[in-house]
Amino acid sequence: MRFLIESYGCQLNMAESDAIETMLIGRGWEKTEDPDKADAVIINTCSVRKTAENRVWGRLGFWSAEKKKHALQLVVTGCMAERLKDELKKEAQFIDAVIGTDEKAEIPDFLSGSPLEQHDSYRFLSSYYKEGEFSSYVPIMNGCNNFCSYCIVPYVRGREVSRPVEEIIEEIGLLEQKGVREITLLGQNVNSYSSQYNGKHVDFPTLLEIILPYLRSIVFVRFESPHPKDFSDHLISVIADNSRIAKHIHLPMQSGSTRILQLMNRKTTRKDFLYLVQKMKDRIPALTLSTDVMTGFPSETEEEYEDTLSAMEEMGCTEAFMYYFNPREGTRAAAMDGQIEESVRIKRLERLIDEQIKRQQAIKEKMLPFTALAIVTGISRDDSDRYLARGEHNDYFSFSSSVAHKPGDLVIIDSDELKGNTFRGRERV
């Protein structure tokens, strides 16, 4: 029996798809990328933006045609399945099962003929490792309690649930056995992690301190996504004092205007956010940052948009995920007064992107020349005589070497050139 998985959306979705893949392979299934050979198709959906849902509706049309050509089981799961369960069942009756976010672990049993079981809360899967990968996601929590006014996540992922410390340690032990080089701890609000271990409360920085002694082959620990309101001094110190925690932090800003942040229900202010950024830079000299930022939130004025541009300049990110406000049905922001025309939202986004591209280019050029530890990802598509590698700061390298390498190898690179977003250099032997 062969299966095919299509995944959309966030890193947690990708991790869950990897876990489902591992479970199916463990039961004797074979993965395929060929629609004509698939006996089962799993579509793992996203609801963060309307465009993600529209893409799934389009794919459902394709799979409806495939089902007429040959027999296959079609499962739709994930956040869109949670949000639009009844609509999917009504409008796409050829779907064999619509499975919400809490029941993803049931998919292998369903495909083997067992009836679906309903669950009242999210269950973590046993392992999210994908065979052969040197980089792995480690989900540590699911859901969100913050209810940002623009965000659908609390409605489709539910309230926060933290994974037991013991399970996280066990997962890391497996990844060490597999020779994994880097892990990314995942959660919708990862630094609000809360659990118990050996009779004591464990928050996120304490969790990092617990898992660090278990790391041997794993050289970089990353995490996404933290919320600024939960970024404690303890967490900053743990990052600063431990070399295995990557000094590249994703810190979502969303807006540089205090009034807009309040409308977003972000529970922070411009002043507090930028104070946190400066505190992190002072305590972690090697720090680089990435962020999320939105333009055109309801009632955003030109002056407040300029506040976002100036905050981005002060933050000085080497990466940014930028987008314009996209109303999501069921969120408070979708019904707010002062909705801004799409053309204005797009125009503001275009300027934001243009300025950020120039900024991150300048920041990276100032870094040259430098030496960095990196993990080989493969051979360059542009030059078969060069390798590609990824470094601690999520920077990418194209490098020459007198030694043959495979993905996952550790290399030290002397870099003296920047081409686009890629550093170029040579391996230090």
Side-chain angles (χ1 to χ4, degrees):
M1 300 287 284
R2 297 183 178 91
F3 70 94
L4 185 152
I5 301 181
E6 291 186 357
S7 295
Y8 302 90
C10 68
Q11 292 171 318
L12 188 54
N13 254 17
M14 302 303 171
E16 289 168 340
S17 289
D18 288 346
I20 293 168
E21 176 181 320
T22 297
M23 287 191 293
L24 286 170
I25 291 173
R27 297 186 182 204
W29 287 69
E30 179 183 340
K31 185 180 179 182
T32 181
E33 302 295 339
D34 187 346
D36 293 331
K37 295 181 179 178
D39 300 295
V41 173
I42 303 155
I43 305 179
N44 196 359
T45 63
C46 174
S47 271
V48 170
R49 293 179 179 82
K50 184 67 175 176
T51 50
E53 293 185 352
N54 289 342
R55 188 176 179 189
V56 170
W57 282 115
R59 292 301 292 166
L60 287 175
F62 170 82
W63 288 112
S64 174
E66 285 294 312
K67 287 198 72 170
K68 293 174 182 177
K69 290 164 53 177
H70 72 282
L72 63 86
Q73 295 185 84
L74 180 60
V75 173
V76 179
T77 188
C79 292
M80 179 180 172
E82 186 73 32
R83 192 176 88 85
L84 300 176
K85 187 172 294 186
D86 292 338
E87 184 176 339
L88 283 164
K89 290 178 179 178
K90 179 181 177 181
E91 300 296 330
Q93 296 182 19
F94 54 87
I95 298 174
D96 295 286
V98 180
I99 298 176
T101 55
D102 292 344
E103 288 82 35
K104 285 184 180 180
E106 302 295 325
I107 291 174
D109 287 338
F110 171 78
L111 293 178
S112 299
S114 299
L116 283 172
E117 294 184 16
Q118 297 296 315
H119 297 277
D120 296 329
S121 62
Y122 183 84
R123 292 193 304 159
F124 290 92
L125 304 176
S126 58
S127 174
Y128 297 82
Y129 173 68
K130 186 173 183 178
E131 193 65 42
E133 294 291 322
F134 62 84
S135 178
S136 187
Y137 296 129
V138 180
I140 65 166
M141 64 173 301
N142 177 75
C144 186
N145 295 346
N146 289 312
F147 288 90
C148 296
S149 62
Y150 54 83
C151 185
I152 198 72
V153 167
Y155 304 98
V156 292
R157 282 275 178 181
R159 297 299 182 95
E160 292 174 356
V161 179
S162 293
R163 192 179 183 187
V165 176
E166 293 85 353
E167 291 185 13
I168 297 170
I169 293 173
E170 185 176 353
E171 175 94 359
I172 289 173
L174 170 65
L175 300 179
E176 283 285 350
Q177 292 175 18
K178 296 290 186 178
V180 167
R181 291 299 196 182
E182 65 175 6
I183 60 174
T184 302
L185 308 179
L186 291 181
Q188 274 78 29
N189 184 18
V190 69
N191 55 342
S192 64
Y193 179 90
S194 179
S195 188
Q196 295 286 321
Y197 184 61
N198 291 339
K200 297 181 180 179
H201 175 252
V202 176
D203 59 10
F204 183 59
T206 304
L207 175 68
L208 289 173
E209 291 174 322
I210 289 171
I211 67 174
L212 283 167
Y214 291 91
L215 306 182
R216 296 181 300 279
S217 67
I218 296 170
V219 294
F220 297 142
V221 177
R222 309 178 190 275
F223 56 88
E224 293 190 19
S225 286
H227 196 296
K229 73 178 180 63
D230 298 315
F231 219 105
S232 65
D233 290 346
H234 183 193
L235 177 55
I236 294 173
S237 293
V238 171
I239 297 168
D241 296 340
N242 291 277
S243 61
R244 291 183 188 259
I245 301 178
K247 304 303 183 286
H248 181 75
I249 304 299
H250 184 71
L251 189 67
M253 178 177 71
Q254 302 302 352
S255 174
S257 161
T258 293
R259 188 184 75 88
I260 295 298
L261 288 170
Q262 290 172 343
L263 286 176
M264 290 177 168
N265 195 34
R266 290 292 289 169
K267 302 178 179 69
T268 188
T269 65
R270 172 192 174 94
K271 180 180 178 180
D272 289 342
F273 181 85
L274 292 177
Y275 175 73
L276 170 63
V277 169
Q278 190 57 53
K279 185 163 54 172
M280 292 171 65
K281 288 180 177 180
D282 291 343
R283 184 69 175 82
I284 313 168
L287 181 73
T288 57
L289 294 165
S290 65
T291 195
D292 295 334
V293 62
M294 180 192 302
T295 65
F297 190 81
S299 78
E300 179 190 63
T301 66
E302 283 293 333
E303 291 76 16
E304 288 166 335
Y305 167 63
E306 292 286 343
D307 286 341
T308 294
L309 295 177
S310 64
M312 286 290 286
E313 180 65 28
E314 189 167 339
M315 195 176 182
C317 296
T318 57
E319 289 180 298
F321 300 88
M322 300 163 284
Y323 48 96
Y324 64 83
F325 173 70
N326 189 338
R328 297 305 293 121
E329 179 186 351
T331 64
R332 287 190 290 119
M336 283 182 177
D337 294 334
Q339 298 289 327
I340 296 173
E341 291 184 8
E342 186 176 46
S343 60
V344 176
R345 286 180 272 150
I346 292 174
K347 184 178 179 180
R348 290 178 181 177
L349 176 62
E350 288 173 344
R351 179 183 170 191
L352 179 73
I353 291 173
D354 183 60
E355 291 191 7
Q356 174 58 26
I357 288 174
K358 293 176 182 177
R359 181 184 301 112
Q360 64 191 38
Q361 190 83 6
I363 292 171
K364 290 182 178 182
E365 285 175 350
K366 287 182 180 179
M367 296 166 62
L368 294 168
F370 69 101
T371 300
L373 174 68
I375 304 170
V376 176
T377 60
I379 297 173
S380 171
R381 290 180 295 180
D382 300 326
D383 186 346
S384 59
D385 291 329
R386 300 180 72 86
Y387 292 96
L388 294 177
R390 181 187 187 209
E392 175 180 5
H393 297 275
N394 207 31
D395 34 27
Y396 286 86
F397 299 86
S398 169
F399 70 97
S400 59
S401 177
S402 59
V403 180
H405 286 293
K406 64 182 184 302
D409 285 352
L410 295 178
V411 291
I412 296 176
I413 301 172
D414 291 320
S415 182
D416 56 12
E417 182 184 2
L418 180 66
K419 187 174 182 180
N421 275 322
T422 303
F423 291 107
R424 291 175 61 86
R426 64 200 57 80
E427 181 182 8
R428 176 178 291 186
V429 180

